[in-house]
Amino acid sequence: MNKKIGYLIALAIAIAAPLVGYPVFLSKLLCFALFACAFNLLIGFTGLLSFGHAAFFGMAGYFAGNALKHWGLPFELGLLAGVAAGALIGLVMGALAIRRQGIYFSMITLALAQMVYFGALRAGEFTGGEDGLQGVPRGRLLGTVDLSNDTTLYFVVLGICVLAFALIVRTVHSPFGQVLKAIKENEPRAVSLGYDVDQYKLLAFVLSAALSALAGATKTVVLGFETLTDVHWTMSGLVILMTLVGGMGTLAGPMLGAIIIIALENKLGDWGALLARVTGVEWFNTIGEAVNMVVGLIFIICVLLFRRGIIGEFIALAGKKKPV
């Protein structure tokens, strides 16, 4: 019951957020929150560390952008094109990577994702190369709702993310999700119980890839462009950081981690300027140039003080306080 109340409070905050925040930035936060939750489905509940999720996130953006800009598809089919592309890439990468375990699995996903990155770099007619894919139209929802209004688009993105998060919650608490947890905790025992472990891993990998692709395709529609940054390996590292900061293996943790990291990347300079005006310390005006340093400091603090992530530590603390 407490979780349901928490979800309702979070939803209420999300609905009211456009009253105080810029809708495009808020939509971007939602997209990265979904991306982190999709990644957490793989690492947090299946125990597979992928360094290649940028391939799904970025390539889905390219396919959705081309579908809307050049192929003339409506908004819904544009997103589906991106999701289908991400799922297909995930199927190919997963089929190759799950043959190995541990660090070898992670390195294979990284190598394959870098192949996708260099492919995107060379396919200039499709991706725009180093210039990126610009001028992606938003279109209309169901052919009637004009998405050129930022606030309208925000609520559409919120609806997409809520449905995707509900799917993740349902998956985690389903018999399929329980098998994934068993694989993470003790894979040999899961094999001894008769489960086809590789098949379950592949299904989890493809589902995570498809949800990551949905996040990437939606972000492209929100911002109106797609660049190589989203396909680069650093994006895979960023989503790992979001998940670890928020709380790996928790449902709400990756969302919080995404909000913290993306807010720092986009708003740290503004916060520094505000602190400079309030305190009179001119140094705060330069803090926006040291985003990576601040993010790194937060990561170090989380490793030292919040090893389970922020939400994970709160859950552990609440569990200790419960009466026996």
Side-chain angles (χ1 to χ4, degrees), residues 25-321:
F25 172 67
L26 295 173
S27 298
K28 182 180 178 181
L29 283 182
L30 289 175
C31 293
F32 276 98
L34 175 57
F35 185 28
C37 288
F39 176 77
N40 183 57
L41 180 63
L42 190 65
I43 186 175
F45 296 100
T46 315
L48 297 177
L49 174 58
S50 167
F51 286 135
H53 265 54
F56 320 133
F57 186 74
M59 290 307 297
Y62 282 123
F63 273 89
N66 278 283
L68 293 170
K69 182 178 180 179
H70 298 301
W71 305 342
L73 296 181
F75 170 77
E76 298 85 357
L77 293 181
L79 290 187
L80 287 176
V83 172
L88 181 59
I89 296 171
L91 178 62
V92 175
M93 287 180 59
L96 295 172
I98 62 171
R99 301 179 182 182
R100 295 292 181 266
Q101 296 180 348
I103 190 63
Y104 302 105
F105 169 87
S106 302
M107 290 298 100
I108 290 174
T109 59
L110 176 60
L112 294 173
Q114 283 301 96
M115 291 175 62
V116 173
Y117 168 77
F118 285 111
L121 179 62
R122 295 293 182 182
E125 293 184 0
F126 181 75
T127 64
E130 294 182 350
D131 296 328
L133 181 63
Q134 307 289 335
V136 176
R138 291 179 176 178
R140 293 175 176 270
L141 178 65
L142 302 176
T144 56
V145 180
D146 187 7
L147 298 178
S148 60
N149 181 276
D150 293 339
T151 303
T152 302
L153 180 63
Y154 168 78
F155 285 109
V156 172
V157 174
L158 177 60
I160 292 172
C161 291
V162 167
L163 291 175
F165 182 71
L167 175 62
I168 292 174
V169 174
R170 182 68 187 91
T171 300
V172 169
H173 292 99
S174 68
F176 172 73
Q178 298 305 309
V179 175
L180 295 183
K181 292 179 182 178
I183 293 173
K184 177 187 176 183
E185 296 297 329
N186 194 329
E187 184 174 332
R189 185 171 184 179
V191 173
S192 70
L193 291 174
Y195 292 109
D196 188 341
V197 170
D198 286 346
Q199 183 178 12
Y200 277 92
K201 285 182 179 180
L202 182 59
L203 287 173
F205 195 93
V206 173
L207 179 58
S208 178
L211 291 170
S212 298
L214 177 60
T218 306
K219 187 189 78 71
T220 298
V221 175
V222 169
L223 300 182
F225 62 86
E226 181 60 73
T227 65
L228 290 171
T229 302
D230 288 344
V231 199
H232 197 253
W233 69 267
T234 53
M235 182 58 70
S236 296
L238 189 65
V239 75
I240 294 173
L241 178 61
M242 294 174 186
T243 305
L244 293 178
V245 168
M248 183 179 69
T250 65
L251 289 169
M255 291 190 289
L256 178 61
I259 291 171
I260 292 173
I261 299 302
I262 299 302
L264 282 173
E265 285 192 342
N266 288 265
K267 299 297 183 181
L268 186 60
D270 296 337
W271 296 339
L274 177 61
L275 286 173
R277 290 196 300 270
V278 172
T279 63
V281 180
E282 190 64 25
W283 176 83
F284 284 118
N285 282 320
T286 64
I287 197 172
E289 302 172 4
V291 172
N292 291 334
M293 183 184 299
V294 175
V295 171
L297 179 62
I298 290 176
F299 180 66
I300 292 173
I301 292 173
C302 285
V303 169
L304 295 177
L305 302 179
F306 301 94
R307 296 190 178 184
R308 301 182 183 90
I310 297 173
I311 297 295
E313 289 294 341
F314 278 116
I315 292 175
L317 184 61
K320 291 179 180 179
K321 290 184 177 180

